[in-house]
Protein backbone atom coordinates (compact mmCIF):
# COMPACT_ATOMS: atom_id res chain seq x y z
CA UNK A 1 0.00 0.00 0.00
CA UNK A 2 1.21 3.54 -0.71
CA UNK A 3 0.69 5.95 2.19
CA UNK A 4 1.10 9.74 2.14
CA UNK A 5 2.05 11.38 5.44
CA UNK A 6 2.32 14.99 6.52
CA UNK A 7 2.91 16.73 9.82
CA UNK A 8 3.71 20.05 11.39
CA UNK A 9 6.22 20.82 14.14
CA UNK A 10 4.20 18.88 16.75
CA UNK A 11 4.66 15.59 14.93
CA UNK A 12 8.18 14.80 13.66
CA UNK A 13 8.80 12.12 16.31
CA UNK A 14 5.37 10.63 15.63
CA UNK A 15 5.99 10.66 11.89
CA UNK A 16 9.38 8.96 12.28
CA UNK A 17 7.88 6.15 14.37
CA UNK A 18 4.93 5.74 11.99
CA UNK A 19 7.13 5.76 8.87
CA UNK A 20 9.46 3.18 10.44
CA UNK A 21 6.42 1.00 11.23
CA UNK A 22 4.98 1.40 7.72
CA UNK A 23 8.23 0.63 5.92
CA UNK A 24 8.92 -2.34 8.19
CA UNK A 25 5.51 -3.68 7.13
CA UNK A 26 6.14 -3.27 3.41
CA UNK A 27 4.28 -0.03 2.75
CA UNK A 28 5.63 2.70 0.47
CA UNK A 29 5.62 6.14 2.11
CA UNK A 30 5.39 9.60 0.56
CA UNK A 31 6.70 12.05 3.15
CA UNK A 32 5.35 15.59 3.08
CA UNK A 33 6.06 16.38 6.71
CA UNK A 34 8.61 18.51 8.40
CA UNK A 35 11.43 16.79 10.24
CA UNK A 36 12.01 19.51 12.84
CA UNK A 37 10.17 21.12 15.72
CA UNK A 38 10.66 24.58 14.18
CA UNK A 39 7.27 26.27 13.89
CA UNK A 40 5.56 25.72 10.51
CA UNK A 41 2.04 26.05 9.11
CA UNK A 42 0.13 22.73 9.06
CA UNK A 43 -1.76 23.51 5.80
CA UNK A 44 1.57 23.48 3.94
CA UNK A 45 1.91 19.80 4.87
CA UNK A 46 -1.74 18.74 4.86
CA UNK A 47 -2.68 19.88 1.36
CA UNK A 48 -0.03 17.69 -0.37
CA UNK A 49 -1.29 14.62 1.51
CA UNK A 50 -4.88 15.37 0.50
CA UNK A 51 -3.82 15.84 -3.13
CA UNK A 52 -1.97 12.49 -3.09
CA UNK A 53 -5.07 10.68 -1.81
CA UNK A 54 -7.49 12.68 -3.96
CA UNK A 55 -5.58 11.91 -7.17
CA UNK A 56 -4.84 8.26 -6.36
CA UNK A 57 -1.09 8.74 -5.98
CA UNK A 58 -1.54 7.34 -2.45
CA UNK A 59 -4.05 4.79 -1.19
CA UNK A 60 -4.51 6.42 2.21
CA UNK A 61 -3.13 9.36 4.16
CA UNK A 62 -1.90 10.22 7.64
CA UNK A 63 -1.73 13.76 8.99
CA UNK A 64 -0.40 14.91 12.34
CA UNK A 65 -0.55 18.21 14.22
CA UNK A 66 -0.84 19.23 17.86
CA UNK A 67 -4.60 18.82 18.27
CA UNK A 68 -5.20 16.99 15.00
CA UNK A 69 -7.99 19.47 14.28
CA UNK A 70 -6.31 22.11 12.12
CA UNK A 71 -4.72 19.66 9.74
CA UNK A 72 -7.95 17.59 9.57
CA UNK A 73 -9.92 20.73 8.69
CA UNK A 74 -7.35 21.49 5.99
CA UNK A 75 -7.46 18.11 4.27
CA UNK A 76 -11.24 17.88 4.56
CA UNK A 77 -11.53 20.93 2.28
CA UNK A 78 -10.55 18.64 -0.61
CA UNK A 79 -13.35 16.86 -2.47
CA UNK A 80 -13.25 13.12 -1.93
CA UNK A 81 -11.30 13.37 1.31
CA UNK A 82 -12.81 11.98 4.46
CA UNK A 83 -10.32 12.65 7.24
CA UNK A 84 -11.09 11.38 10.71
CA UNK A 85 -9.60 12.81 13.88
CA UNK A 86 -8.73 9.75 15.96
CA UNK A 87 -7.38 9.34 19.46
CA UNK A 88 -8.01 5.62 20.03
CA UNK A 89 -7.69 2.53 17.85
CA UNK A 90 -11.43 1.93 18.26
CA UNK A 91 -12.26 5.32 16.73
CA UNK A 92 -9.76 4.63 13.93
CA UNK A 93 -11.53 1.33 13.18
CA UNK A 94 -14.97 2.95 13.15
CA UNK A 95 -13.71 5.76 10.91
CA UNK A 96 -12.81 3.15 8.29
CA UNK A 97 -15.73 0.75 8.88
CA UNK A 98 -18.56 3.29 8.98
CA UNK A 99 -17.21 6.45 7.32
CA UNK A 100 -14.79 5.08 4.71
CA UNK A 101 -12.20 7.55 6.03
CA UNK A 102 -9.20 7.81 3.73
CA UNK A 103 -7.02 9.99 5.95
CA UNK A 104 -6.38 9.58 9.66
CA UNK A 105 -5.61 12.72 11.66
CA UNK A 106 -3.55 12.21 14.80
CA UNK A 107 -3.40 14.70 17.72
CA UNK A 108 0.26 14.53 18.76
CA UNK A 109 -0.26 16.48 21.97
CA UNK A 110 -3.01 14.13 23.17
CA UNK A 111 -1.77 10.66 22.20
CA UNK A 112 1.42 8.74 22.78
CA UNK A 113 3.64 7.53 19.96
CA UNK A 114 2.78 3.85 20.62
CA UNK A 115 -0.94 4.80 20.57
CA UNK A 116 -0.46 6.62 17.26
CA UNK A 117 1.28 3.65 15.67
CA UNK A 118 -1.47 1.33 16.94
CA UNK A 119 -4.14 3.63 15.48
CA UNK A 120 -2.38 3.67 12.11
CA UNK A 121 -2.08 -0.12 12.13
CA UNK A 122 -5.80 -0.45 12.89
CA UNK A 123 -6.72 2.19 10.28
CA UNK A 124 -4.79 0.37 7.56
CA UNK A 125 -6.11 -3.09 8.44
CA UNK A 126 -9.78 -2.10 8.68
CA UNK A 127 -12.06 -2.16 5.64
CA UNK A 128 -15.15 -0.10 4.91
CA UNK A 129 -18.28 -2.14 5.64
CA UNK A 130 -20.39 -0.49 2.95
CA UNK A 131 -24.04 -1.53 3.16
CA UNK A 132 -26.11 0.87 5.25
CA UNK A 133 -23.05 3.12 5.65
CA UNK A 134 -22.57 3.67 1.92
CA UNK A 135 -25.64 5.89 1.55
CA UNK A 136 -24.41 8.10 4.40
CA UNK A 137 -20.92 8.36 2.94
CA UNK A 138 -22.44 9.30 -0.42
CA UNK A 139 -24.10 12.31 1.26
CA UNK A 140 -20.87 13.76 2.73
CA UNK A 141 -19.57 15.55 -0.36
CA UNK A 142 -21.03 18.98 -1.21
CA UNK A 143 -20.59 18.63 -4.96
Amino acid sequence: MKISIGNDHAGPDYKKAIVDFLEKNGHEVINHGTNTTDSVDYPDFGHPVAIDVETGIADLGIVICGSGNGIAMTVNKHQGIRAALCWTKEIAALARQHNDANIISIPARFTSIPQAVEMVDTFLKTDFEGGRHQNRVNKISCS
Side-chain angles (χ1 to χ4, degrees):
M1 197 177 300
K2 190 181 282 190
I3 310 297
S4 184
I5 190 167
N7 62 284
D8 73 0
H9 51 275
D13 293 340
Y14 286 71
K15 181 187 66 181
K16 182 182 180 334
I18 291 167
V19 168
D20 289 348
F21 168 80
L22 293 170
E23 290 177 343
K24 181 179 131 190
N25 286 282
H27 299 289
E28 184 179 341
V29 178
I30 304 167
N31 180 1
H32 292 292
T34 184
N35 294 317
T36 74
T37 56
D38 297 339
S39 183
V40 295
D41 299 329
Y42 54 79
D44 296 339
F45 303 97
H47 286 301
V49 172
I51 291 167
D52 285 351
V53 174
E54 200 173 28
T55 61
I57 292 169
D59 300 300
L60 295 171
I62 301 165
V63 292
I64 308 160
C65 76
S67 71
N69 279 310
I71 204 161
M73 290 175 187
T74 298
V75 298
N76 274 323
K77 295 295 181 185
H78 291 257
Q79 289 298 318
I81 296 302
R82 291 172 307 280
L85 173 59
C86 299
W87 55 94
T88 68
K89 68 179 183 176
E90 292 81 9
I91 292 170
L94 285 173
R96 292 284 297 136
Q97 289 171 335
H98 292 189
N99 310 115
D100 199 17
N102 50 17
I103 296 180
I104 184 172
S105 182
I106 298 171
R109 293 191 178 119
F110 298 94
T111 58
S112 68
I113 290 174
Q115 247 182 315
V117 171
E118 184 178 45
M119 287 188 297
V120 167
D121 185 37
T122 299
F123 190 79
L124 298 180
K125 288 179 177 175
T126 304
D127 292 323
F128 178 50
E129 290 179 351
R132 65 189 169 98
H133 304 291
Q134 185 63 61
N135 189 48
R136 296 168 187 154
V137 170
N138 291 344
K139 292 180 178 182
I140 292 173
S141 180
C142 291
S143 65

